[in-house]
Amino acid sequence: MATIPLSDWMKQAKLDDKKLHQLCIPGTHDSGTFPLPQSGVEDQISKTQKSTIFEQLNLGIRFFDIRVNADNMQINHGKTATGLLLSEVLQIFWAFFQNHPGEVVVMHVKHEWGVTKGFHTKMVDAIKAIWPDDPNDPDCPFAKHVYMKPMGLNSSYPIPTISQLRGKLVYMRRYGVDKREFITKAQQDGPESGIPVDSFALGTDYNAWSKNHGGQTWQQRFDTLSLQGWPDNGGNFDVAHIDFRNRHGISFVIQDWYSIGPAHGSSYPAQCESKIASVKIYRDSASSEFPDSWYLNFVNVTQTAYYPIEYAVGDGRCNNRLRTMFTVDAPTKQRGTFPLDYCESPSDLTDVIAVWNN
């Protein structure tokens, strides 16, 4: 189906002036769980991927959900350790860019276990161990290949185009300033703060404030608001309340409804149908509403009694239903980021998503 290899689908010149939120991006949920065995209850509940990070990259995945144990800087899913080192993941990203300089990779980072204080500093240090930094050299590896600035609505933090991001790792963080001190207040608006998606003000609040801001910066106002957190195991289908502005004013629309229906008493296909119905609501919203919003539309489902692979793979399950949504029941325009479980099944799924950018 693809006219160019999935390993290079973003290098098309016609994407140069696009921005990440304007693309249709295949992603993975809990991207680093592939080392876990498909045996034992805890491992099977935690395992969401079969393909390695390298294989995912070559399948066209450009959004990676990376969850880090701060005690040993390994990848976890909840308390379950995968044995995969963060440094190994970063090395794979580094190697990929050497051969595919036209691509952009988004790394969505969540603290998953371990000490919280200073977590952001640990993450920055880990990245700079792979891409060394020299503040006096604008051509140093860190400056050339890592994008850790926030994306904002002013000239200080503009939203970059794909041509400006080619060959870069884009850092998105799902953690912020609170009593656990993941990141300091001094860091959270700095040039290495990343794109925060940990807490939001409703778009209606943002718009009302922006018309009557009285000289305050948005970040100052943000610190005084009652905020909406990440909609964990949720999604708000009231379109008036799905526009979440982060502290730099960027809008995110997030559907992360991963537990659909009761664990017992309904069939896999019925639960998968409910999940894909949720995905479709957000997909359709992306095609008609909030054109400046970045839609993160998670496709994964799990229950404590069942395993992610049982919801993702097979006839009538989520991935096949998603494929149908893209190929049969599709508007003329598609956009949004779609994190998947078991992204290699069906074999053309990531192609079906990425081809909408052609």
Side-chain angles (χ1 to χ4, degrees):
M1 183 177 294
T3 56
I4 60 174
L6 282 171
S7 57
D8 288 300
W9 70 262
M10 296 184 85
K11 75 175 185 181
Q12 305 170 77
K14 64 183 177 182
L15 300 184
D16 283 354
D17 295 330
K18 296 286 188 179
K19 298 176 182 179
L20 286 167
H21 71 275
Q22 296 172 327
L23 300 184
C24 196
I25 301 176
T28 47
H29 159 252
D30 270 294
S31 308
T33 57
F34 59 87
L36 294 172
Q38 201 73 63
S39 61
V41 173
E42 181 180 319
D43 286 338
Q44 290 190 83
I45 289 174
S46 299
K47 186 179 178 72
T48 63
Q49 305 299 334
K50 176 182 176 182
S51 298
T52 68
I53 298 294
F54 178 75
E55 290 168 338
Q56 291 175 39
L57 285 162
N58 285 305
L59 282 169
I61 298 298
R62 295 295 177 267
F63 175 95
F64 289 82
D65 179 21
I66 302 298
R67 306 191 177 197
V68 181
N69 182 331
D71 289 344
N72 53 25
M73 301 308 281
Q74 293 188 20
I75 306 304
N76 270 37
H77 185 176
K79 68 177 182 178
T80 304
T82 67
L84 178 67
L85 295 171
L86 172 66
S87 60
E88 294 177 291
V89 174
L90 296 173
Q91 284 280 3
I92 294 167
F93 290 152
W94 178 90
F96 180 76
F97 284 131
Q98 306 311 300
N99 296 313
H100 306 279
E103 301 304 289
V104 182
V105 172
V106 179
M107 185 170 73
H108 167 268
V109 177
K110 182 175 182 285
H111 172 277
E112 196 76 337
W113 204 259
V115 66
T116 59
K117 185 174 183 179
F119 177 67
H120 185 72
T121 297
K122 286 186 174 183
M123 289 301 306
V124 174
D125 289 346
I127 291 170
K128 289 183 177 180
I130 307 298
W131 291 276
D133 185 29
D134 181 349
N136 298 314
D137 181 6
D139 292 323
C140 70
F142 181 80
K144 288 183 67 174
H145 299 294
V146 180
Y147 193 92
M148 290 197 71
K149 298 177 184 178
M151 295 181 183
L153 298 182
N154 57 51
S155 58
S156 297
Y157 298 116
I159 302 175
T161 62
I162 297 301
S163 63
Q164 293 170 322
L165 291 175
R166 294 195 189 283
K168 292 184 184 290
L169 181 72
V170 176
Y171 192 90
M172 181 183 289
R173 60 176 171 88
R174 189 174 158 186
Y175 57 88
V177 177
D178 62 15
K179 63 183 179 181
R180 292 174 290 178
E181 301 180 74
F182 294 108
I183 181 172
T184 68
K185 287 189 176 181
Q187 290 174 314
Q188 68 176 337
D189 299 314
E192 297 177 1
S193 66
I195 306 166
V197 291
D198 59 303
S199 55
F200 312 89
L202 291 176
T204 51
D205 294 337
Y206 174 86
N207 292 332
W209 168 83
S210 64
K211 294 176 182 178
N212 302 282
H213 57 80
Q216 276 189 320
T217 66
W218 172 238
Q219 287 85 349
Q220 289 172 322
R221 175 61 176 159
F222 188 92
D223 289 336
T224 68
L225 291 172
S226 175
L227 299 176
Q228 166 78 43
W230 177 279
D232 186 54
N233 195 30
N236 190 335
F237 299 149
D238 177 358
V239 294
H241 298 101
I242 62 176
D243 173 21
F244 300 147
R245 301 277 171 163
N246 74 3
R247 64 182 294 107
H248 301 103
I250 300 303
S251 170
F252 285 88
V253 176
I254 301 167
Q255 180 277 122
D256 189 21
W257 200 275
Y258 55 80
S259 180
I260 297 291
H264 298 282
S266 62
S267 65
Y268 289 129
Q271 293 181 48
C272 293
E273 183 177 3
S274 296
K275 174 62 181 186
I276 297 305
S278 302
V279 173
K280 186 176 183 296
I281 287 172
Y282 280 75
R283 189 279 307 267
D284 292 347
S285 173
S287 68
S288 60
E289 298 171 309
F290 306 124
D292 297 324
S293 297
W294 190 340
Y295 280 70
L296 301 181
N297 202 347
F298 285 77
V299 185
N300 57 288
V301 181
T302 191
Q303 299 280 2
T304 54
Y306 302 126
Y307 307 136
I309 193 171
E310 296 173 290
Y311 287 104
V313 178
D315 292 341
R317 311 302 165 92
C318 287
N319 288 5
N320 276 334
R321 288 178 180 273
L322 183 74
R323 186 188 185 284
T324 299
M325 192 190 80
F326 272 101
T327 56
V328 178
D329 182 20
T332 56
K333 182 179 180 181
Q334 299 264 16
R335 70 182 180 94
T337 298
F338 296 85
L340 308 161
D341 282 351
Y342 294 92
C343 63
E344 69 287 331
S345 180
S347 60
D348 65 344
L349 180 58
T350 53
D351 192 349
V352 164
I353 297 172
V355 77
W356 281 90
N357 300 292
N358 289 353

